[in-house]
Amino acid sequence: VTAVARAAGAAVVDRSPTPARSIAIGDLLKRGIEGYDKLRYDEAWATLEQAVQAVNRTGAEGLTAAQLSDLFISRSLLRKERGDPTAFDDLAAAIVVDPNRTLDEARFAPDVRENLERARTAVAGRPRATLTVDAPAGCTIAIDGATAEPAAPRIAGTHWVRVTCADHAPWGTRIDLGAPSTSLVARPIRFVPPSD
């Protein structure tokens, strides 16, 4: 557009909104896992907590379901090292967002894999529920890091919703999905077009 305008002798004023700064949650997750692997537990915990806050605020921007699951598995491992009895809750959260999640035998100890299977069994007993997201037309809806199918049944529990649109700012949130259904209204801020 700029080249054509200049060739015609016209001036161009670009009033496109500045893209929101990406939080790079995936980088935080990677640093947290590396901290755990190097036995720097306090540093890993602080990094993963920062990642969880960003996930809650953005609806898991830039993460896949597997990465979101990894976040909670890593938190569970750190909670276990700290003697926190709620470590199992994070494993259950990991299964809720990625029910098919498995662990690499070469990387994870047998007791961790057994606890994950225990969490899978506990989560399998939960009711299924539908999450309806009311968003502006033309927007893409992602739930737990994957593009959402309309009214697909999900395991009751905590989920993350992200809405992206061409003409609105990104929007995201955390929601506790209860049975049989939950409705969520997403109202991202519309970009204001330039005046004449």
Side-chain angles (χ1 to χ4, degrees), residues 34-71:
E34 287 172 358
Y36 174 80
D37 291 342
K38 294 178 180 177
L39 308 179
R40 296 194 307 257
Y41 296 142
D42 289 339
E43 178 185 322
W45 180 258
T47 303
L48 291 179
E49 280 301 290
Q50 192 179 356
V52 168
Q53 290 171 8
V55 162
N56 289 342
R57 195 172 53 252
T58 67
E61 175 188 7
L63 294 186
T64 64
Q67 288 174 312
L68 192 54
S69 181
D70 283 347
L71 174 59

Side-chain angles (χ1 to χ4, degrees), residues 69-156:
S69 181
D70 283 347
L71 174 59
F72 290 100
I73 290 169
S74 299
R75 272 176 38 119
S76 176
L77 294 172
L78 281 166
R79 284 187 194 277
K80 186 177 175 188
E81 290 296 332
R82 302 172 94 179
D84 187 335
T86 62
F88 187 79
D89 296 342
D90 277 335
L91 286 179
I95 292 298
V96 167
V97 298
D98 189 0
N100 300 318
R101 184 70 168 98
T102 58
L103 298 180
D104 182 1
E105 292 183 15
R107 186 172 187 283
F108 293 96
D111 66 317
V112 176
R113 295 194 313 271
E114 288 169 13
N115 283 337
L116 187 71
E117 290 310 312
R118 250 182 356 107
R120 190 184 317 278
T121 302
V123 166
R126 290 187 185 179
R128 304 288 263 178
T130 56
L131 174 59
T132 305
V133 181
D134 177 14
C139 294
T140 301
I141 300 168
I143 300 175
D144 300 331
T147 302
E149 296 178 23
R154 300 181 179 285
I155 299 168

Side-chain angles (χ1 to χ4, degrees), residues 1-6 12:
V1 170
T2 303
V4 170
R6 284 186 183 149
V12 174

